[in-house]
Amino acid sequence: MIEIKNLNKHFGQFHALKGISLRVKENEIYGFIGHNGAGKSTTMNIMAGLSHFEEGSCIINGQDVKELAKPGDLNVGFLPENPQFYPWMNATEYLLYCSKNPDKQKVKEIIAWAGLEQHASRKIKGFSRGMKQRLGLAVALINDPKLIILDEPSSALDPEGRSEVLRLMVELKNMGKTIIFSSHILSDIERICDRIGMIENGEIIFEKSLVSLLNENVKPIFDIEFKHMISTLQIERLMEHKDILKVEAKDNMLTVQLKQNDLDPKSLLESVLEFDVPILGFNLRKNNLESLFIKEGN
Ligand SMILES: Nc1ncnc2c1ncn2[C@@H]1O[C@H](COP(=O)(O)OP(=O)(O)OP(=O)(O)O)[C@@H](O)[C@H]1O
Ligand SMILES: [Mg+2]
């Protein structure tokens, strides 16, 4: 669907994209992450056929963006970082204007989906930032594209709006579409993405499936909750266990770190059962994307 190879782009002397390669497969939701200024928007503008680059290649739906007569030929839905509209039009007029085959019923449906029903006939110049983002999303979908590129689709939305957008992205995937979106909201990425690419200073740091990214970084830490407090003596005995690196106690909880990722927790469980104190919880702590992102970025 998207195949980018060795892309290089400068803004004057500034080397913004330093040979990036990435691949978005058909019918996946791809999350594009990176700190401010990493190069996400620059890359996405190129994917949408709107920005020039010096070296490398960018193939979208089998089409080389360098060989396009005009960006509209790509048949992608694109939400730019700061969508611009004709402020004197209202939302309905603008969506009709953007439609390849103008259809009033379809525009009405998409306006309702975007949560803009109340504002359909208001001039866009009076729209709030979140309303403009909703309208931008509607514009990205109005021509029923197979590939959808969204640059921070939920950054200006309230929590309810954010959840709606995430739900919609999953619905679009179920309809057979392919989606790439950038976001700083890692919990959103974690909720819906199949694969993730991270860019830093114009270079791709990794590109992996969400599952393998999280699995590779599972920390061998168990949080064990007991019905009563565990005595110091019992904790000391537990620390003698050959697989255990560290034990921390707080109230009725023990946090136990194992020496290696792939150790079988069975013998740990057997050791804590010997305390003869009822166990209320025994959980392997999972890393979330937030902690990985902070680690990778530093
Ligand atoms: N038109 C431009 N002229 C000069 N430099 C630019 C221009 N557009 C982007 N840059 C620079 O290129 C780098 C990448 O910018 P880009 O907008 O792609 O980052 P981003 O990852 O989208 O960041 P953000 O999370 O803040 O949106 C930044 O250092 C930015 O200053
Ligand atoms: Mg950006």
Side-chain angles (χ1 to χ4, degrees):
M1 269 270 141
I2 299 183
E3 184 92 53
I4 285 182
K5 284 201 183 123
N6 193 31
L7 210 61
N8 277 277
K9 179 173 175 76
H10 286 79
F11 291 107
Q13 297 289 309
F14 180 70
H15 201 174
L17 300 182
K18 300 169 186 155
I20 73 163
S21 298
L22 65 85
R23 195 153 74 94
V24 179
K25 298 180 199 164
E26 183 150 2
N27 197 214
E28 73 178 356
I29 303 184
Y30 186 104
F32 199 28
I33 60 177
H35 293 100
N36 291 133
K40 301 179 297 296
S41 298
T42 306
T43 308
M44 294 178 111
N45 288 339
I46 290 174
M47 287 175 188
L50 297 172
S51 184
H52 153 91
F53 54 96
E54 298 102 35
E55 223 182 273
S57 65
C58 175
I59 312 288
I60 308 286
N61 294 332
Q63 258 184 307
D64 189 334
V65 298
K66 279 221 155 142
E67 285 163 14
L68 286 176
K70 54 180 191 320
D73 294 348
L74 269 182
N75 189 27
V76 300
F78 179 50
L79 171 74
E81 187 161 46
N82 296 304
Q84 303 291 326
F85 312 96
Y86 292 130
W88 61 87
M89 288 187 183
N90 67 34
T92 304
E93 286 162 352
Y94 191 76
L95 284 165
L96 282 170
Y97 166 80
C98 295
S99 303
K100 281 188 180 150
N101 304 302
D103 173 348
K104 280 196 174 149
Q105 184 54 33
K106 176 144 194 226
V107 164
K108 208 171 161 194
E109 281 167 22
I110 216 155
I111 280 184
W113 162 76
L116 290 170
E117 266 162 323
Q118 317 274 335
H119 313 292
S121 46
R122 279 179 63 184
K123 293 263 187 287
I124 300 170
K125 78 172 173 222
F127 273 25
S128 71
R129 202 160 91 86
M131 285 155 70
K132 281 186 182 154
Q133 192 152 37
R134 286 166 186 264
L135 180 58
L137 278 164
V139 171
L141 298 176
I142 190 74
N143 291 314
D144 206 21
K146 266 204 86 176
L147 172 64
I148 300 157
I149 301 169
L150 306 171
D151 195 354
E152 296 193 35
S154 58
S155 63
L157 301 183
D158 50 36
E160 208 176 307
R162 258 177 53 204
S163 288
E164 279 166 32
V165 168
L166 295 186
R167 209 172 312 122
L168 176 94
M169 283 200 245
V170 174
E171 265 171 43
L172 290 168
K173 176 189 154 84
N174 293 340
M175 285 160 65
K177 314 252 183 216
T178 306
I179 301 162
I180 171 166
F181 77 106
S182 64
S183 178
H184 291 284
I185 306 164
L186 297 174
S187 53
D188 286 359
I189 298 248
E190 203 168 338
R191 266 164 74 186
I192 65 166
C193 286
D194 299 300
R195 286 197 317 134
I196 295 170
M198 178 167 179
I199 183 169
E200 197 54 62
N201 292 323
E203 291 177 89
I204 297 288
I205 309 261
F206 64 75
E207 190 180 55
K208 280 183 187 156
S209 74
L210 176 67
V211 175
S212 59
L213 187 63
L214 292 177
N215 280 346
E216 280 165 21
N217 290 281
V218 174
K219 285 183 188 159
I221 295 179
F222 287 84
D223 293 309
I224 310 167
E225 189 183 353
F226 298 90
K227 194 159 183 199
H228 313 294
M229 236 160 147
I230 303 300
S231 72
T232 314
L233 193 69
Q234 284 170 314
I235 294 172
E236 279 171 3
R237 212 179 311 139
L238 184 66
M239 274 154 85
E240 286 164 14
H241 190 297
K242 66 177 179 27
D243 295 341
I244 292 177
L245 185 69
K246 205 165 134 195
V247 179
E248 280 171 29
K250 191 172 182 275
D251 303 329
N252 295 353
M253 291 283 292
L254 287 188
T255 298
V256 179
Q257 183 167 1
L258 299 185
K259 288 181 182 156
Q260 285 170 45
N261 230 336
D262 49 0
L263 287 173
D264 186 353
K266 193 169 156 229
S267 90
L268 169 64
L269 185 59
E270 280 165 359
S271 302
V272 292
L273 280 170
E274 279 173 20
F275 293 170
D276 215 14
V277 177
I279 296 174
L280 303 180
F282 185 87
N283 295 309
L284 174 62
R285 193 182 293 182
K286 295 261 180 191
N287 239 345
N288 62 18
L289 216 48
E290 194 89 35
S291 59
L292 292 184
F293 186 63
I294 291 165
K295 196 173 78 190
E296 297 277 353
N298 288 328

